[in-house]
Amino acid sequence: MAQELPAPLTAADFPPVDMKQAELGQLLFYDKILSGNRNISCGTCHHPDFGTSDGLSLGLGEGGEGLGPDRRPADHIKRRVPRNAPALWNLGARSIDKVMHDGRISEDDMYGTRFNTPAEEWLPQGLDSVLAAQALFPMTSETEMAGDVEENEIAGAVNDRIDNGWPILAKRVRIIPEYGARFVAAFDHIDRPEDVSIVEIANALAAFMAHEFQSIDSAFDRYLRGEIAELPPQAMRGMQLFMGEVGCSTCHAGTLLSDQQFHALGLPAFGPGRTRKFDLMARDVGRMGESDALEDAYRFRTPMLRNVAHTGPYGHNGSYRTLEDMIGHHRDPVLGAATWSRDMPLLPEVAHLKKVDFLILSNARETARRSRFVDISLPPLSDRDVADIIAFLNTLSDPTALSGRMGIPASVPSGLKVDQGRR
């Protein structure tokens, strides 16, 4: 094997979690009270039934109804969520210092708040981790949880300044007696419900996600720890290809199977794109949107691969539904983009969005620019090689994590409906 196997991933790679905070975070994660219109929770788009994603290429956040591929517009939806909902596995690991597809939330004290985020100097002090910082921003997104400016006080406040909605949400939560009592019990510095701020809400959410979505018990993890002698023969061949001559582990490196860096795969473009404020076309320039560095154009963060068999569709915009198709694109990105078809992503039917969904494909200059940024170049792979690599990727599934340590609560203190799914 050309490259050594990574060190085993163990509980020591994660900071300890306060379980009272995690139990409180579990309720908040599945409670729709954190959305502007009280109709969507964190768990709606990061549901255990879909590997902590939503089973869609590009989701329907605010204004949608239902779960996963069955989700449909309940109200008028202006646009889809611009990027694929990322899985949440192992985001509580000590070594993670940036999150999101473009890394726009990171540990960096440039604004004096410990984190570099879209809120810049308006981010509140006291957040425990980059995962806690991340938890704040879906609440401010029109397409994810906030809703339209005209619809509710959260969206209206955020429209004035990104941090203005958080105090309103915190008050919504703390005036519910059960939540107030739980915050007092879970946080030593909280003596009364009136002291609860969005910081404690974010820290509780992070505690839950770090505990619930820790994934360290896959067959591959047990093999690395010496608890099993070997993987099945096909998976062993796939592991040798992945870690060796094919070079997948160059980017999917280390214990988390990600170098935490940004790479261009030349994936087909579609959807609204996560555009910059001054960008009038429906495109997504990736890391460059955060860094403003041309060399970061069309580059996205290397995903971690625990439970990857359960987290499709794949890519920053969910271009491919299956691992076979995603690996096929890696084999030949130019051919993959040229032969990709509009029926390959999994998109809920929204009639008035059909034209916008694929508008970027008509822009020849943008297509040409994107095709020049491709960082992957694999040696020739046979169909058997691909099947072997997929067999290895299946050994990254962790039954303990997938079944849930805490699971989905039957009810939440707000009394709002909980998206239970198939469980």
Side-chain angles (χ1 to χ4, degrees):
M1 217 177 295
Q3 185 170 333
E4 293 183 2
L5 294 176
L9 183 64
T10 70
D13 292 301
F14 300 81
V17 168
D18 183 305
M19 286 309 299
K20 285 186 178 179
Q21 293 180 19
E23 289 164 3
L24 175 54
Q26 177 202 24
L27 298 173
L28 292 165
F29 188 86
Y30 291 103
D31 198 331
K32 296 177 180 179
I33 197 170
L34 293 179
S35 63
N37 291 321
R38 296 177 172 86
N39 61 356
I40 187 170
S41 72
C42 306
T44 304
C45 297
H46 296 282
H47 200 278
D49 281 359
F50 308 102
T52 70
S53 183
D54 64 359
L56 296 167
S57 298
L58 301 176
L60 298 180
E62 168 58 42
E65 188 173 64
L67 281 175
D70 295 328
R71 193 164 175 79
R72 293 293 181 270
D75 302 310
H76 183 78
I77 289 180
K78 290 184 177 179
R79 63 175 187 152
R80 302 183 192 276
V81 177
R83 288 181 181 158
N84 181 258
L88 304 180
W89 306 112
N90 291 333
L91 288 179
R94 295 179 191 274
S95 61
I96 292 180
D97 62 2
K98 60 180 76 70
V99 292
M100 311 297 269
H101 288 294
D102 55 11
R104 67 184 180 276
I105 297 173
S106 63
E107 289 192 8
D108 186 331
D109 201 37
M110 67 183 297
Y111 293 109
T113 61
R114 186 184 164 192
F115 304 102
N116 179 9
T117 75
E120 300 180 349
E121 66 268 29
W122 298 314
L123 189 76
Q125 300 279 356
L127 295 167
D128 287 342
S129 64
V130 71
L131 183 55
Q134 180 278 327
L136 293 175
F137 289 92
M139 304 175 203
T140 69
S141 167
E142 176 184 340
T143 58
E144 294 179 59
M145 295 178 74
D148 289 339
V149 173
E150 303 86 0
E151 290 180 332
N152 63 74
E153 72 277 21
I154 305 300
V158 169
N159 187 61
D160 290 335
R161 203 173 81 181
I162 193 169
D163 61 322
N164 282 352
W166 292 326
I168 303 171
L169 287 171
K171 184 176 181 179
R172 268 193 195 177
V173 170
R174 67 180 179 241
I175 62 175
I176 296 174
E178 183 179 347
Y179 272 136
R182 282 180 174 270
F183 275 102
V184 171
F187 291 90
D188 292 341
H189 66 281
I190 298 296
D191 297 322
R192 53 183 190 148
E194 291 85 350
D195 297 331
V196 175
S197 74
I198 199 67
V199 171
E200 287 74 38
I201 291 172
N203 286 337
L205 285 168
F208 168 68
M209 290 186 281
H211 175 73
E212 180 76 347
F213 305 131
Q214 182 183 115
S215 181
I216 61 173
D217 200 33
S218 68
F220 177 62
D221 292 310
R222 287 182 275 122
Y223 172 74
L224 291 178
R225 294 196 295 264
E227 296 169 7
I228 57 176
E230 59 183 14
L231 301 175
Q234 186 180 21
M236 287 294 289
R237 291 194 301 270
M239 182 184 71
Q240 290 163 0
L241 291 167
F242 187 98
M243 298 292 174
E245 62 189 85
V246 177
C248 306
S249 60
T250 302
C251 298
H252 293 288
T255 57
L256 294 173
L257 300 182
S258 170
D259 61 3
Q260 308 298 325
Q261 299 304 310
F262 304 89
H263 305 281
L265 304 186
L267 291 173
F270 63 93
R274 183 176 173 80
T275 55
R276 294 165 291 176
K277 290 181 179 180
F278 55 83
D279 203 336
L280 299 180
M281 67 176 71
R283 66 176 175 181
D284 194 329
V285 297
R287 178 65 174 168
M288 189 176 81
E290 165 62 18
S291 70
D292 288 325
L294 184 59
E295 60 268 24
D296 288 335
Y298 310 107
R299 292 189 163 92
F300 296 87
R301 185 170 173 266
T302 305
M304 300 181 288
L305 296 180
R306 294 307 192 287
N307 305 307
V308 68
H310 303 269
T311 62
Y314 302 100
H316 70 274
N317 58 3
S319 300
Y320 295 103
R321 299 192 190 193
T322 69
L323 284 172
E324 183 176 15
D325 286 341
M326 188 62 174
I327 294 172
H329 180 89
H330 281 66
R331 292 166 80 175
D332 188 338
V334 175
L335 179 63
T339 57
W340 183 85
S341 61
R342 299 182 183 197
D343 62 349
M344 295 181 79
L346 184 53
L347 299 169
E349 181 81 11
V350 183
H352 65 275
L353 294 182
K354 280 187 175 181
K355 188 172 183 180
V356 177
D357 282 339
F358 301 104
L359 182 64
I360 193 64
L361 296 178
S362 64
N363 190 317
R365 290 185 177 180
E366 176 66 11
T367 299
R369 278 191 293 267
R370 194 174 62 253
S371 68
R372 294 198 296 269
F373 288 80
V374 178
D375 295 330
I376 50 174
S377 179
L378 304 185
L381 293 177
S382 68
D383 290 345
R384 179 187 173 180
D385 292 338
V386 172
D388 291 349
I389 291 171
I390 291 174
F392 166 63
L393 294 177
N394 275 286
T395 71
L396 301 177
S397 296
D398 176 350
T400 301
L402 288 166
S403 63
R405 292 175 174 82
M406 300 173 71
I408 302 172
S411 62
V412 290
S414 70
L416 295 168
K417 180 183 176 183
V418 176
D419 291 320
Q420 294 290 341
R422 299 188 292 260
R423 299 172 183 230

